[in-house]
Amino acid sequence: MSKQITIIGAGLVGSLLAALLGKRGYQVNVYERRADIRNANISAGKSINMACSTRGWKALDLVGAGDKVRKAAIAMNGRMMHGIDESLTFQPYGKENEAIYSISRAGLNQILIDHADEYENVNFQFEHKCIDIDLDRTIASFELNDNETKYVESDLIFGTDGAFSAVRSVMQKLKHFNFSQEYISHDYKELSIEAKNGEFQMEKHALHIWPRGSHMLIALPNPDGSFTCTLFLPYEGENSFEKLNNESEIEAFFKSKFPDAFKLIPNLIELFNENPTSPLVIIKCFPWSYKGKVTLIGDASHGIVPFYGQGMNAGFEDVSILNELMDQHGDNWIELFQEFENSRKPDADAIADLALKNFIEMRDLVGQEWFLKRKKIERALYETFPERFIPQYSMVSFTNTPYSEAVRKGNQQDLILDELVNKEDILDIIERGDFKSFVETNHMIPN
Ligand code: FAD
């Protein structure tokens, strides 16, 4: 008889995992705290947008949902930086056809639940809040809307219940379970730029950034012509949420910091006051599994800050890796979960660090001239030596290279770029077409 599997949390990772396990023939029951998101009326621009990249697409294609998601996604080929003087600078993310894709979180979640629900052996139960797990007996307890408690026994439990996981909170009581939770100094708030007569008011195929040093605004396109914006500010101190308490403070801040965006958000005050200010947290823990019976995946085991656009992609990659391990280990879940957590943990830690580092790049460095010079050199290296020099951003976003390897190679690349950026006439050398011979003559990149 096929195993009975309980998945706790029908968010992005839980619903994708349900589709995979359904495809593999398991009896899957997914329990979600919220009401069914498919019945919610979420207009575009009213949900956070996610950037989906290669790792995400790989997992979506694995379960056969990739094409459904592609129809609702918009390619973003690069960053469009908005200067304080309203100037625009475009910086491609990679080579010509490389892009990351903007997709509404709610829309994606709806597609994935629908997709998994097509399997007869997958069953979703909403408004079931997990409140406890008996780890040894694999019994999950749920609180229902009428305050009733329901107990569900199964062979395996997957905790895909996000950064504040109830499953993890039970595991945290185990001996030798390591856990850390770190709030960063910045909170975020969603805003939006509506379409004008059905048209985009800024470049459609870009991720827009207003980098301002200690803080920033970003905007991602939606298919209806609107943009979902996210404002990242410290929660206290200078230029912080704490300082924006009334209409005149909010307006003065936006006018001086994001003048072009200010003109495109006529309902700024309403949005600012209506939308919550939310924290950003980094979650690390280990081990992720218990005796081959219970495991955590996605944000429940590795929650990261959103600045590399990789949290969901990393969670989706967890699903691809689990699939490969299921091929190797069959139903030996103890071995499978142990190999999964041991091999995956260094990569989860690596992307957590990279995401934090990219915050500095996005909010500060992208607006600086020397950084743009460095990016031009990096691009020239990529175009000239596509097999030997793949920039770290491209490795992370456009390949399935393990994150920890992308960090290791990125550190080597930093040394090369540091040397080249200090060469005053390097951009002329690139311009003249002498770059290849210059790099080769000076043995600057390994073969
Ligand atoms: P979640 O999406 O949090 O889903 C968890 C689910 O479990 C939810 O449905 C929740 O209701 C349910 N749940 C929680 N507790 C219980 C319980 N007790 N019982 C039952 N159900 C429960 N990642 C990217 O790859 N690209 C991006 O561009 C990107 N942008 C982001 C922007 C912001 C502002 C933020 C905050 C994050 C961003 N991320 C991005 C990260 C991404 O949102 C997460 O990594 C991803 O949502 C993790 O998916 P998950 O399924 O593990 O957790």
Side-chain angles (χ1 to χ4, degrees), residues 210-311:
W210 290 257
R212 297 294 180 262
S214 69
H215 53 284
M216 69 172 176
L217 177 72
I218 65 168
L220 279 76
N222 293 306
D224 71 348
S226 66
F227 286 86
T228 302
C229 310
T230 315
L231 174 66
F232 296 94
L233 295 184
Y235 52 81
E236 59 185 8
E238 207 186 332
N239 297 319
S240 70
F241 280 113
E242 187 193 52
K243 295 275 158 63
L244 303 179
N245 294 307
N246 55 47
E247 203 171 317
S248 61
E249 283 171 2
I250 298 165
E251 277 197 6
F253 180 75
F254 265 76
K255 264 188 202 161
S256 68
K257 301 290 181 187
F258 315 117
D260 52 345
F262 176 72
K263 290 177 212 154
L264 300 176
I265 317 179
N267 52 345
L268 172 68
I269 302 301
E270 193 185 310
L271 291 174
F272 197 95
N273 290 332
E274 260 176 25
N275 293 347
T277 306
S278 308
L280 291 166
V281 67
I282 303 168
I283 300 285
K284 291 185 179 176
C285 67
F286 201 77
W288 294 347
S289 70
Y290 180 77
K291 294 185 180 172
K293 296 177 179 195
V294 180
T295 196
L296 304 169
I297 74 166
D299 274 16
S301 50
H302 48 78
I304 63 175
V305 290
F307 306 111
Y308 223 117
Q310 283 296 314

Side-chain angles (χ1 to χ4, degrees), residues 8-14 31-34 48-52 105 109 128-131 142 160-166 188 190 220 230 232 279-280 297-300 304 306 309-314:
I8 295 173
L12 299 175
V13 175
Y31 298 91
E32 164 60 45
R33 182 181 59 183
R34 295 172 310 187
I48 287 187
N49 275 39
M50 319 293 296
C52 184
R105 173 202 287 274
N109 207 167
H128 278 60
K129 180 184 173 192
C130 176
I131 48 169
F142 299 94
T160 53
D161 50 347
F164 299 100
S165 166
Y188 72 95
E190 297 296 324
L220 279 76
T230 315
F232 296 94
L280 291 166
I297 74 166
D299 274 16
I304 63 175
Q310 283 296 314
M312 168 193 77
N313 285 287

